[in-house]
Amino acid sequence: MLIPPPSGHDAAVTVVEYYDYRCPFCRRAHPDMVRLLEEHGDNIRYVFKQFPVLDRDGENGVSHFAARAAIAASKQEVFPAFHEKLMTHEGSLNKGVILDFAEALKLDMGRFRSDMDDPALSAYFEQTINLARMIGISGTPTYVINGQVLAGAQGYDAILDLVEKTRN
C-alpha cells in the first residue's frame, strides 16, 4: 500500500498529521491514513508533519534521524515510498535500517546525507514542536482536521467522521 500524492490546496478539508516514525500507534494508524487518501484523497489536502518527540537523545536520536531522512527523500521526490517503508517496517527502526531504505530506493546518497545535515531542519523541527505544543498536541499520532484536533490512533471511522463534519 502506497500513499497517493497529496491533492491540491483547494480541497474542502485539510488534514495535518503529526507523527513520529518510531511511534507504534502512528504505525498502527497508518493504514487508516492510506485508506482515507485512497477513498477521499480528491477532497483532502493532506499535510505530513514530522513530529520527532520520542527521542531521549534529542536531535541525535532515531526519531530525528528518520524525520530528517524523510525530508531528504522528499527532495529526491521519493517521499511517499520512503514514508511507506518507514511506517510499515516490522521491528524497531534504527539508523542503519533507515539508510538501507534510502539505498534500496536508489537515492543519491551523497545528496541524501547532505540534505539530512541541512541546519534549517533543526529550526523546522523546533518550529513544528512549538506550534504543536501551542495548540495542545503532546503525542502522536495527532490529526488536525480543518482546525479540529483528534488525538491518538482512534481508527478510520473517527477520522472520517471528523473529516465529514468539518468539510467546508
Side-chain angles (χ1 to χ4, degrees):
M1 139 173 73
L2 183 65
I3 290 182
S7 61
H9 294 280
D10 59 346
V13 177
T14 297
V15 176
V16 180
E17 179 183 4
Y18 287 81
Y19 60 91
D20 185 311
Y21 285 114
R22 289 183 45 235
C23 171
F25 301 105
C26 296
R27 293 163 104 187
R28 189 175 314 140
H30 177 69
D32 296 332
M33 296 302 94
V34 172
R35 180 178 172 195
L36 180 71
L37 292 174
E38 285 174 350
E39 295 178 2
H40 304 280
D42 291 342
N43 300 313
I44 294 174
R45 177 179 175 254
Y46 206 85
V47 179
F48 298 89
K49 269 304 194 190
Q50 308 287 343
F51 194 53
V53 294
L54 296 179
D55 284 335
R56 291 197 174 127
D57 298 332
E59 289 192 21
N60 293 319
V62 174
S63 291
H64 271 83
F65 190 86
R68 287 175 175 276
I71 292 169
S74 74
K75 292 184 179 195
Q76 293 187 46
E77 300 182 11
V78 295
F79 175 81
F82 197 83
H83 179 80
E84 185 71 16
K85 283 185 173 291
L86 291 173
M87 283 298 201
T88 61
H89 176 70
E90 294 185 19
S92 62
L93 286 175
N94 62 56
K95 293 176 182 181
V97 166
I98 295 164
L99 291 174
D100 288 346
F101 290 158
E103 289 176 354
L105 290 170
K106 303 199 183 317
L107 296 180
D108 174 335
M109 293 304 288
R111 179 178 169 203
F112 179 75
R113 288 178 194 274
S114 176
D115 288 340
M116 281 185 67
D117 291 337
D118 183 347
L121 292 181
S122 294
Y124 166 76
F125 294 134
E126 183 178 338
Q127 181 183 35
T128 298
I129 290 168
N130 288 340
L131 174 62
R133 292 204 169 117
M134 279 180 16
I135 59 176
I137 297 172
S138 60
T140 56
T142 299
Y143 311 94
V144 179
I145 301 171
N146 276 1
Q148 301 293 311
V149 176
L150 180 66
Q154 295 190 29
Y156 177 79
D157 291 337
I159 295 165
L160 181 60
D161 184 51
L162 190 53
V163 163
E164 290 175 350
K165 284 180 182 175
T166 62
R167 191 177 308 264
N168 292 340

